[in-house]
Structure formats: structure tokens, C-alpha cells
Amino acid sequence: MSHKSQAPLSVAILGVGLVGSELISQLLSLSSPSPFRLVSLSSSKRTVFSPEGLQVTPESWRSAVSSSNASPDLHALAETLSTLERAVLVDNTSSQDIADLYPEFLRRGVHVVTPNKKAFSGSQQLYDNILKASREGSARWLNESTVGAGLPVVQTLKDMVASGDKIKKIEGVFSGTMSYIFNEFSTASPEGPTFSAVVRIAREKGYTEPHPADDLNGADVARKLAILARSVPSLQSALPEGYLSVRTRSLVPDALTSVSSGSEFVDRLPEFDAEYEKLKREASQSGAVLRFVGVVDVENGIVKADLEKYPTSHPFATSLGGSDNIIMFHTERYSPRPLIVQGAGAGAAVTAMGVMSDLFKLAS
């Protein structure tokens, strides 16, 4: 009996920045025959589209986009992609406006793959609309790279839930920025650099956002926790405002919350070193280190992002290096020893790899 080969998955990519460029490179470097057909590339201002597949290479795609006179029209893109046999929208942006349109694509039968955290960590209404549209359009949404970049975190949790495991608690260092800062600042030795000096170096190395307060306020960790919590059935509706409903401790001094310049922020941060030093000294005296962690405590219904103390023998103290992420899953099956996922949790190459892994799930 002969089997008809499955048509390639038509891929439309939004966002051609760091992650988008790396994804395009990985996609166009696959050996032939590829399970994917790249049909559209869009920057914020220009777009190219061909339902038969764009004739571009890793060297030529940038000029194809920049020389186009067409502007992106996402409503038209949703309609056009819905006419193709199998199509997926890949959103590499961090745009809330694009995230708000996911239900339109899904309802039309277009799959969505994205590292954009906005849709899955925002309002309950948008999240519910995405679930409803996915069912109505028989289309899937995959977001592995929203938590831990290319690390197998989101799918691992979904597989645990789908297979009937009982999730007790998820805890981890979810921010590469916070990981680097506290790996350098709080060690087994009470000596070491000041908090402000570590933040300044992290900014110079590109580990922080241009304005470090965007990392130190804990919002990025809160978004990741909201995404994971909503994958646990008992917590799916526990965060009505998404990440804003997560109990989050900001490490931004009150006096600096209104400072709009990242440079001014790091220049003034030394004024508050004594406060951070006190926290480090207290932890050190009890044989512990400080780590900024996220916790989804399913049994007690608590989702929080906070600065916590961990013994110097704990994996959060001994296993982390640089800007690594580490996530522990405490479940009925993984007990008393948790399942641990660890590795690079940021960077264009590993984030794009996470997107690619989701694309392969759809293509198979």
C-alpha cells in the first residue's frame, strides 16, 4: 500500500530580529527535503509572501525583506494562511498587539508557535479566548520557548499533566539575568563584589535589559510562572490578571522606581548597596546564599517570585554558573527527588531552537 506524503508545513514568520534571524538561519539550513515551506517573512514595516514558498537563502532573505514595498497586514495574513493546507504563524516579537490576534489565527485553523510571553501570561480573558479558538479551529498553540528558551520545561510539564502525574511544586531560577547577578553577588563566601557593581557588569555584558530595573522588578519571572501555573489544571484560572496576579518582590529600590534612564539607574544603585549587603550577610551567617526564584506551589495555591535563602549545599547554590536557569519539578512520581532541568535559559540560538522544536512537533 502506498502512502501519500504529508504536505510541508507552511511557515509565516513575524519578527526578524535576534531570535527571528537565528530561527530563519536554522530553518533554511535544514537538509532537503525539509518538512517546512517558508511562505512569509515580516519585519515591523515590510513583508514578503509567496504561498509556493519564498526563494530565499540564509544569505539573501534580508535583502528580500528590505527591498519589499509591501507592509504587514496581519488580518490579511490570517485569511491567506487559512487557505493553505497546513500553516503556522511564528511570532518572534514581544508585541502585545500581535499576541491579541492569536485567537483570530487559531480560529481560522492556523497554528501558532511563539517565544512571546505576552499572550500566555496576560489577562485570563485572552488566555481563555486562545484556548477556545484553538478548539474551534482545531489548531494548536505551542510556546516551549517562553520559559527557559530551548530548555524542555513547558512540554515536560504538559506531558506530566497529560499522563496523570500530580504536580506538587515547581521551583526554579527562571531568569538568566537574576541567575548571573546572584551567582556573582551571593556565594558561600561572605566577601565579594557589591550588588551595584555586579548589576553594572551584567549590563555591560548584555545580560540585563538596557534598563536593569526591567529585570530587577521580577516581572519577567512572574510572566514565566503565570505560563507554567496555567498549565496545571487546578491553577488554570487562579491568576485573573496573569503575571500581575503573581506575588512578586521587586528588587528595585523605591527611590529609583521613577528613574527612566538605565545609565542613571546604575549610577545611583550604589546608594543602596548597604541594604543588599545586609541581606547577603544574614544569609551567609546562616550558611545560605540568596537566589531570586519562582515558585508554583500547587498544593497550597501559591505562585510567587521572591528572593529566597538556600543552603550552600542546595543545587541552586552549587549547580548554577553564569546565566543558567534551573527548574525543579516536585511531583507524585518524581518524589522525594525532583526532576531537574538545567542549562542556558537565554540567548538567540537556544531560543530559536525551542521554536524549532515546536515546529517539528507540528510537522510530524
Side-chain angles (χ1 to χ4, degrees):
M1 181 187 293
S2 63
H3 293 278
K4 184 180 178 182
S5 61
Q6 199 168 32
L9 183 65
S10 295
V11 180
I13 293 179
L14 300 180
V16 293
L18 287 175
V19 173
S21 297
E22 178 64 30
L23 174 66
I24 294 164
S25 175
Q26 292 182 18
L27 200 64
L28 294 176
S29 299
L30 294 175
S31 57
S32 185
S34 170
F36 308 110
R37 177 189 292 131
L38 184 59
V39 298
S40 179
L41 292 172
S42 300
S43 66
S44 58
K45 296 180 180 178
R46 301 178 189 275
T47 187
V48 286
F49 179 85
S50 172
E52 290 81 29
L54 298 171
Q55 299 303 307
V56 293
T57 66
E59 294 75 35
S60 70
W61 69 264
R62 286 182 177 84
S63 59
V65 174
S66 62
S67 62
S68 172
N69 294 319
S71 300
D73 181 337
L74 298 187
H75 298 288
L77 180 63
E79 184 174 352
T80 304
L81 291 177
S82 70
T83 66
L84 303 181
E85 185 177 345
R86 301 167 69 229
V88 56
L89 175 78
V90 179
D91 172 24
N92 297 308
T93 76
S94 58
S95 166
Q96 182 66 58
D97 290 338
I98 294 175
D100 289 341
L101 293 176
Y102 292 175
E104 180 176 346
F105 283 87
L106 292 165
R107 199 171 289 114
R108 290 177 177 272
V110 179
H111 306 296
V112 172
V113 167
T114 184
N116 185 350
K117 292 184 277 288
K118 298 285 174 65
F120 311 103
S121 62
S123 72
Q124 188 71 41
Q125 181 178 2
L126 175 57
Y127 186 72
D128 288 344
N129 286 344
I130 288 171
L131 297 182
K132 184 170 182 281
S134 176
R135 291 192 298 269
E136 291 175 353
S138 298
R140 297 172 65 188
W141 53 270
L142 295 168
N143 61 340
E144 180 63 75
S145 48
T146 57
V147 182
L151 295 177
V153 176
V154 175
Q155 192 61 46
T156 295
L157 175 58
K158 289 179 178 178
D159 288 345
M160 286 174 167
V161 171
S163 65
D165 199 357
K166 181 181 178 184
I167 313 299
K168 296 180 178 180
K169 184 167 74 169
I170 306 165
E171 60 180 330
V173 176
F174 291 94
S175 163
T177 304
M178 293 290 210
S179 179
Y180 174 83
I181 288 173
F182 285 98
N183 290 342
E184 296 295 312
F185 174 65
S186 182
T187 66
S189 168
E191 307 303 319
T194 63
F195 186 77
S196 63
V198 173
V199 172
R200 181 181 291 276
I201 293 170
R203 184 172 185 254
E204 291 170 353
K205 288 187 173 184
Y207 287 152
T208 74
E209 297 291 334
H211 197 315
D214 292 337
D215 294 295
L216 296 176
N217 64 15
D220 177 66
V221 174
R223 283 192 179 277
K224 293 169 182 175
L225 294 176
I227 291 167
L228 295 179
R230 283 172 167 169
S231 296
V232 179
S234 64
L235 297 178
Q236 193 175 92
S237 302
L239 304 171
E241 296 302 319
Y243 80 102
L244 294 175
S245 298
V246 174
R247 286 168 39 185
T248 305
R249 177 175 179 175
S250 172
L251 299 183
V252 178
D254 291 341
L256 300 186
T257 54
S258 60
V259 174
S260 58
S261 161
S263 297
E264 182 185 348
F265 180 89
V266 294
D267 286 342
R268 290 191 56 192
L269 196 57
E271 299 170 24
F272 306 91
D273 274 338
E275 297 177 21
Y276 299 110
E277 196 64 33
K278 180 171 180 278
L279 293 171
K280 179 171 79 170
R281 189 168 58 250
E282 289 173 352
S284 181
Q285 288 171 350
S286 62
V289 296
L290 297 172
R291 295 293 182 262
F292 193 88
V293 299
V295 177
V296 179
D297 186 342
V298 181
E299 293 183 316
N300 295 301
I302 297 170
V303 184
K304 66 176 182 175
D306 205 345
L307 192 62
E308 302 280 1
K309 298 175 187 175
Y310 285 90
T312 53
S313 58
H314 192 278
F316 290 0
T318 61
S319 299
L320 288 172
S323 57
D324 276 4
N325 284 184
I326 183 168
I327 296 96
M328 291 182 166
F329 293 94
H330 302 266
T331 76
E332 197 168 69
R333 292 173 185 157
Y334 287 96
S335 179
R337 291 177 299 281
L339 171 67
I340 300 177
V341 177
Q342 179 186 346
V350 289
T351 302
M353 187 196 79
V355 175
M356 283 293 294
S357 73
D358 280 344
L359 288 174
F360 276 113
K361 292 183 191 97
L362 289 175
S364 62

